[in-house]
Amino acid sequence: MKRDLSLALSLLLLFNAAAPAAAAAPLQTTPPQQQPARPQPTPTPAPAPSPAPAESDEDDDVVRITANLVQFDAVVTDGEGRIVTDLRPEDFEVQVEGKPQEITNFSFVSVAAPPAPAAEMRPDRGAPAPPPTPLRSAQVRRTIALVVDDLGTSFEDMHFVRQGLRKFVDEQMQPGDLVAIIQTGKGLGALQQFTTDRQLLHRAIERVRWNPIGRAGVSTFAPAEADPREQAGGARGGPGARDDAGDQERDAGAALEDFRKGVFTVGTLGALDFIVRGMDQLPGRKSVVLFSGGFQLFRNLRNPNESRDTERVLESVRRLTDQANRASVTIYSVDARGLATTGLTAADDVRTPQQAIALQSSRNDELFLNREGLAYLADQTGGIFIRNTNDFAGGVRQALQDQSGYYLIGFRPPAEAFQPERGRARFNKFKVRVRRSGLRVRTRAGFYGVAEAATRPAPRTRAEQMVAALSSPIASGGVGLRLTSLFNSPADGSTVVDSLIHIDVSQFRLADEADGWKRAVFDIVALTFGENGQIVDTVNRTETVRARAEALDAVRANGLVYLVKVPVAKPGAYQLRVAVRDAASERVGSASQFIEVPDLRKGRLALSGIFMTGAGEVPKAGGEAAAQSSAAPLRDATLRRFRQGALVDFSYHVYNAKADRATGQPRLLMQTRLFRDGRAVYESPAQPYDAGALPAGATRVEAGRRLQLGAQLPPGDYVLQVVVTDELAKGSRRTATQWIDFEIVK
């Protein structure tokens, strides 16, 4: 795919010249300050929002496995399933391979409840919902991966799984939840969907589909089919005659089917392992909720003496559970078959009572054996196996209620725990008992005698470092990055996504050159993922920046702005992931952003991304004015960081506005809303759009406003939302909304 890629160095004077003009504003609009300015009232703060949940004393890694300390989490509940919070170290007894261990570290960690709703400005009924609130790491309470095993869930069961996912997103998702919906049969791009945006999660739910190449069929159990040889009856000896060739054929077919299911089971476990590794550095209490029709783990149903395939699956499970324990991830498994019936159905072709009895017995065995794998995953990681229920949303609720509090227990492991056994790492089993009667303790099953450093080798090569940064669901901060992706449709009718990347070079290691010049070399990789998780565009470059010593202060203070322009052929949800590496210091940073590209061909009202810059002045007391950073609009638009009381300009395009038959002009109402922590702190009245010299019948409208931020608005993260209503359109086509987050600083 051909790309228009240009490098803009904001406020960096190469050879004492201005930054290249190729990096023009992505919207290619007249700056708002050159349009007739329409100052809006100063936003006044609503009652101060509740503070974000305070960080607990919990270590970043709940589970720690070193030669000097093994630290694990344990959940204790009473007879009614409620979390018990008042236990002391002496109430616990910890054994490793039957030997008591002295508890050296002990604490109870409470996952803070979401903040209570505060007074807020409520918009009129029918107004667009407020945009999602971006979360900082310290604000994340729970990190939840809802994993649908499309490789092992039947077509019929998938419908009910989607219903449960929708109910969770609509009714159970709480402030401070970082959620992803992932399918085991999808690609890398799906891993990145950890978000607070309910709309984005609903889009992910709509893409959850049955995988016809997986190990699960159309229904929970495959319909029984009569054997043609038995129906033929005396082809060779009459009913009941032995057919050795037919038996061998059936055995070979059964073995092949078992091998196929084993392959897809390993595929499911491999996808889970990849997800767990990606969650390793995520904040909050981490959990994976797996919806699956199950898999056989310990025994082969048709060939009890065959252990090769089950051993391969067991090894995958061992690696997965060990990785989950080290990453402090708890796995909760949900049997996607719900209340499954093993009796006969209309689709079964059964001729005799003996066949009916044998079929039901076989299905009972299959149901039990497939549940073993799901139960084992939950048991080994301290989770719960949820079965025999069609209320999948209730199952998720039960799992997440279990995450509200836990004990953190540590001890010094015996030396033999880390000594190999038969040439392999030793698995050391935990046994944890609570001395107080009537209580139940649930924890991880044990640990492999391998120190964490050996299981998490640091990336060494350039490629390894960049892949590690790009595959992590959260941004890495070795190099400070800020990413702003904006949808735009130029006048030629094409569709592009302009991504502005601000690079903080203050941590770069600069090399000396002759005559007082300095040089920095950095690698940049940008991947654009489509809705199906496939990569649709790639940028992989190494850039060199040179500057004289006297320009270094400006470079370090203002950083660099890099513009990536990606043509988009199809509408849908896209994600850009970017990694930047300083070649000298090998420091790596990453960032990501989702962006929705509407289908303009349908004629519905739509908005481009919002280009947001400082207006040039910050009013002060006494009529004085301090310079704002308007000299670098690209940097402003990328960093989106403004001072209290600043004047801010924002611009955008309106597409597919209807034209009045009499005047040929659109009739649009523009409204601005400002949010902090999901609560409205400012809302302007809906104002009519002044078409001015707009050509008659134009469907691409340029719009812009100037907003003065209230001097009393507290510093923090905010969201600006633009709501446009087309008075000439009908129904759901009347309103379009767009939003962008920014930061207010002192």
Side-chain angles (χ1 to χ4, degrees):
M1 181 181 295
K2 183 178 179 181
R3 292 179 296 273
D4 177 10
L5 177 64
S6 59
L7 176 64
L9 307 181
S10 175
L11 287 188
L12 174 61
L13 305 182
L14 293 178
F15 303 102
N16 296 321
L27 294 182
Q28 302 174 358
T29 62
T30 304
Q33 55 266 35
Q34 297 179 14
Q35 301 174 7
R38 292 173 176 254
Q40 298 192 20
T42 301
T44 55
S50 302
E55 294 185 82
S56 70
D57 295 331
E58 171 191 5
D59 291 343
D60 289 339
D61 292 322
V62 172
V63 176
R64 300 183 60 188
I65 301 174
T66 69
N68 297 320
L69 175 66
V70 172
Q71 187 169 265
F72 64 95
D73 51 341
V75 176
V76 181
T77 56
D78 60 17
E80 297 182 3
R82 295 172 297 195
I83 302 293
V84 178
T85 64
D86 61 345
L87 299 177
R88 299 178 178 275
E90 54 269 23
D91 294 321
F92 287 86
E93 179 182 331
V94 178
Q95 295 183 1
V96 174
E97 296 295 341
K99 297 180 180 179
Q101 305 296 313
E102 180 184 357
I103 296 176
T104 59
N105 297 43
F106 184 89
S107 63
F108 180 80
V109 180
S110 176
V111 179
E120 63 177 271
M121 298 173 58
R122 297 190 177 275
D124 295 336
R125 177 177 294 182
T133 303
L135 293 180
R136 295 185 181 272
S137 179
Q139 296 174 309
V140 178
R141 297 176 52 250
R142 303 184 304 190
T143 299
I144 307 162
L146 301 173
V147 181
V148 180
D149 181 18
D150 58 334
L151 296 174
T153 302
S154 73
F155 175 84
E156 291 180 352
D157 295 334
M158 195 65 77
H159 168 73
F160 299 102
V161 169
R162 283 197 298 270
Q163 282 186 339
L165 293 174
R166 292 189 190 99
K167 192 170 183 179
F168 165 78
V169 171
D170 291 336
E171 301 177 9
Q172 300 177 31
M173 192 172 165
Q174 300 176 357
D177 284 352
L178 195 62
V179 181
I181 295 175
I182 306 171
Q183 293 176 255
T184 57
K186 294 297 182 182
L188 170 68
L191 173 62
Q192 317 306 323
Q193 296 177 0
F194 283 92
T195 181
T196 61
D197 190 341
R198 283 182 168 85
Q199 182 178 359
L200 186 61
L201 292 172
H202 276 295
R203 289 186 63 91
I205 294 170
E206 292 305 315
R207 296 194 300 272
V208 171
R209 291 289 184 269
W210 172 62
N211 195 329
I213 68 171
R215 63 184 184 275
V218 174
S219 56
T220 301
F221 300 106
E225 297 179 357
D227 191 324
R229 287 179 291 269
E230 294 180 1
Q231 295 183 34
R236 286 193 298 168
R242 178 174 176 81
D243 183 355
D244 292 337
D247 291 341
Q248 292 176 4
E249 182 181 344
R250 283 192 296 270
D251 290 343
L256 180 62
E257 177 65 12
D258 287 336
F259 176 78
R260 189 184 75 86
K261 289 185 176 181
V263 168
F264 285 114
T265 296
V266 172
T268 294
L269 298 174
L272 284 172
D273 184 78
F274 187 76
I275 293 165
V276 167
R277 289 178 184 274
M279 297 176 69
D280 189 4
Q281 301 301 318
L282 286 174
R285 182 68 165 153
K286 294 175 285 190
S287 57
V288 167
V289 182
L290 172 65
F291 298 87
S292 176
F295 54 89
Q296 295 177 27
L297 183 59
F298 298 110
R299 286 167 285 181
N300 188 297
L301 182 62
R302 296 187 178 90
N303 301 295
N305 296 324
E306 177 63 56
S307 61
R308 179 184 57 190
D309 295 339
T310 54
E311 183 60 31
R312 183 174 68 252
V313 173
L314 268 172
E315 183 61 28
S316 298
V317 170
R318 294 190 188 104
R319 290 196 301 267
L320 169 60
T321 55
D322 184 61
Q323 181 61 38
N325 289 339
R326 293 174 186 271
S328 305
V329 174
T330 303
I331 299 178
Y332 297 87
S333 52
V334 180
D335 189 347
R337 295 167 298 185
L339 287 169
T341 175
T342 59
L344 298 181
T345 67
D348 293 321
D349 188 357
V350 175
R351 303 302 178 93
T352 67
Q354 292 79 7
Q355 289 177 339
I357 294 173
L359 177 63
Q360 185 163 3
S361 176
S362 174
R363 287 177 173 174
N364 285 332
D365 289 343
E366 183 177 350
L367 184 66
F368 174 77
L369 293 176
N370 279 345
R371 284 177 171 173
E372 282 185 326
L374 297 177
Y376 185 81
L377 282 179
D379 179 72
Q380 296 292 296
T381 60
I384 301 172
F385 174 40
I386 299 165
R387 59 188 182 274
N388 294 330
T389 177
N390 293 330
D391 182 11
F392 294 144
V396 176
R397 182 187 302 108
Q398 179 184 353
L400 298 183
Q401 285 176 346
D402 183 66
Q403 296 273 298
S404 60
Y406 55 93
Y407 291 91
L408 199 57
I409 304 172
F411 61 90
R412 298 189 181 278
E416 59 268 22
F418 288 84
Q419 295 175 355
E421 185 177 44
R422 299 177 182 177
R424 303 177 64 179
R426 179 196 301 266
F427 183 77
N428 302 277
K429 295 182 180 179
F430 281 148
K431 185 176 181 180
V432 182
R433 188 174 69 87
V434 179
R435 293 189 172 94
R436 187 186 299 181
S437 62
L439 301 184
R440 179 188 177 190
V441 60
R442 187 161 21 82
T443 187
R444 303 176 189 273
F447 65 96
Y448 279 96
V450 180
E452 289 177 354
T455 63
R456 302 174 185 174
R460 298 183 180 275
T461 67
R462 172 192 183 274
E464 289 175 343
Q465 292 169 351
M466 300 299 273
V467 168
L470 288 167
S471 61
S472 173
I474 59 171
S476 109
V479 174
L481 297 183
R482 190 71 181 254
L483 175 63
T484 301
S485 294
L486 306 171
F487 153 71
N488 180 31
S489 180
D492 61 6
S494 62
T495 302
V496 297
V497 172
D498 292 315
S499 292
L500 295 163
I501 307 161
H502 182 273
I503 306 172
D504 181 1
V505 300
S506 62
Q507 300 297 323
F508 278 19
R509 186 181 298 169
L510 304 180
D512 294 322
E513 293 188 337
D515 301 327
W517 286 80
K518 298 282 187 179
R519 183 184 74 250
V521 179
F522 64 91
D523 305 309
I524 181 167
V525 176
L527 302 179
T528 303
F529 294 93
E531 288 189 80
N532 59 0
Q534 301 301 313
I535 297 175
V536 299
D537 196 81
T538 304
V539 171
N540 188 350
R541 296 280 295 271
T542 297
E543 302 285 359
T544 300
V545 178
R546 300 176 67 248
R548 290 188 181 277
E550 57 267 22
L552 288 179
D553 289 342
V555 176
R556 292 181 180 275
N558 301 315
L560 310 178
V561 176
Y562 206 93
L563 171 60
V564 177
K565 187 182 291 288
V566 180
V568 177
K570 297 180 180 180
Y574 292 84
Q575 183 198 44
L576 182 74
R577 287 197 66 81
V578 178
V580 172
R581 172 183 178 270
D582 174 27
S585 66
E586 296 190 351
R587 297 173 64 91
V588 181
S590 66
S592 66
Q593 184 181 338
F594 288 96
I595 184 168
E596 179 81 14
V597 176
D599 189 350
L600 299 181
R601 295 170 300 180
K602 293 184 176 180
R604 293 184 178 180
L605 192 70
L607 305 182
S608 72
I610 300 174
F611 192 77
M612 191 175 186
T613 64
E617 294 182 345
V618 180
K620 287 188 174 181
E624 298 179 359
Q628 178 72 355
S629 54
S630 60
L634 282 180
R635 190 182 70 246
D636 276 4
T638 311
L639 284 175
R640 307 189 305 282
R641 187 174 293 135
F642 308 99
R643 287 188 286 176
Q644 292 170 306
L647 292 172
V648 177
D649 288 329
F650 57 93
S651 60
Y652 55 95
H653 283 154
V654 182
Y655 303 103
N656 294 328
K658 304 296 183 183
D660 187 277
R661 293 183 179 179
T663 64
Q665 300 296 320
R667 286 169 48 189
L668 302 174
L669 295 177
M670 312 292 197
Q671 186 180 33
T672 304
R673 306 166 74 195
L674 199 62
F675 295 85
R676 184 168 189 253
D677 294 335
R679 292 178 285 274
V681 297
Y682 169 73
E683 183 175 331
S684 75
Q687 299 177 343
Y689 175 76
D690 183 1
L694 188 69
T699 59
R700 181 175 179 266
V701 176
E702 297 181 5
R705 290 290 186 270
R706 174 167 292 178
L707 181 71
Q708 182 176 349
L709 302 176
Q712 301 304 316
L713 286 173
D717 295 316
Y718 290 79
V719 173
L720 172 71
Q721 184 183 41
V722 173
V723 181
V724 177
T725 301
D726 187 347
E727 295 185 289
L728 300 176
K730 298 180 180 180
S732 61
R733 298 171 180 260
R734 286 176 53 86
T735 302
T737 182
Q738 186 62 272
W739 62 272
I740 190 168
D741 61 297
F742 68 98
E743 183 180 1
I744 294 180
V745 298
K746 291 185 178 181

